[in-house]
Amino acid sequence: MAYLRERASHHQSVLIVLADPTRRALLDLLRHEPLPVGELARQMPVSRPAVSQHLKILKKVQLVREHRHGTRHYFGLDPVGFAGLREYADAMWHQALNAFATYVAEQRARTGPANTKTEP
C-alpha cells in the first residue's frame, strides 16, 4: 500500500511541476535535442539561474536528464520519467472511457433501446 501512495505522490509531483509554464516551455525546447543551459537561457524570458533552478526541479521528477560534455551541462528529455507519466495518463484515460461506457449503458437502460430503423 505504501508503494501505491508513493507512486501516486510522484505522479502528483510531476503534474505540479508541469503546471508551471516556464517548465513546459523548457520541455518544448528539449523535444528535438539536448541543449546546454546557456542555449536554453538565451531562448527563455527568465535569467540563466532561474533556468537552472527549473531544470533542477524537472530533473528531480525525472522529466529531464543531464550529461556533461567538457564544461557544458546538457539537458535532454528523460524517457523514464515520460514513460511513467504516459502510464499514468493512459490509466486515467482508460478509467474515463470506462466511466463513459457505464454512463451510456445506464442511459440506454433508462430510455430503452434506440430506434435504429431509418426511413427510406
Side-chain angles (χ1 to χ4, degrees), residues 36-38 48 66-74:
V37 176
R48 184 179 176 139
E66 175 185 13
H67 74 275
R68 295 176 185 178
H69 186 73
T71 60
R72 298 181 106 181
H73 294 249
Y74 285 82

Side-chain angles (χ1 to χ4, degrees), residues 70-115:
T71 60
R72 298 181 106 181
H73 294 249
Y74 285 82
F75 286 84
L77 299 181
D78 188 340
V80 172
F82 278 95
L85 183 59
R86 170 77 188 263
E87 180 184 305
Y88 176 73
D90 285 347
M92 295 291 285
W93 181 246
H94 184 69
Q95 290 171 342
L97 289 177
N98 285 341
F100 181 69
T102 300
Y103 170 78
V104 169
E106 289 170 354
Q107 293 301 310
R108 284 188 179 157
R110 281 190 201 139
T111 61
N115 187 356

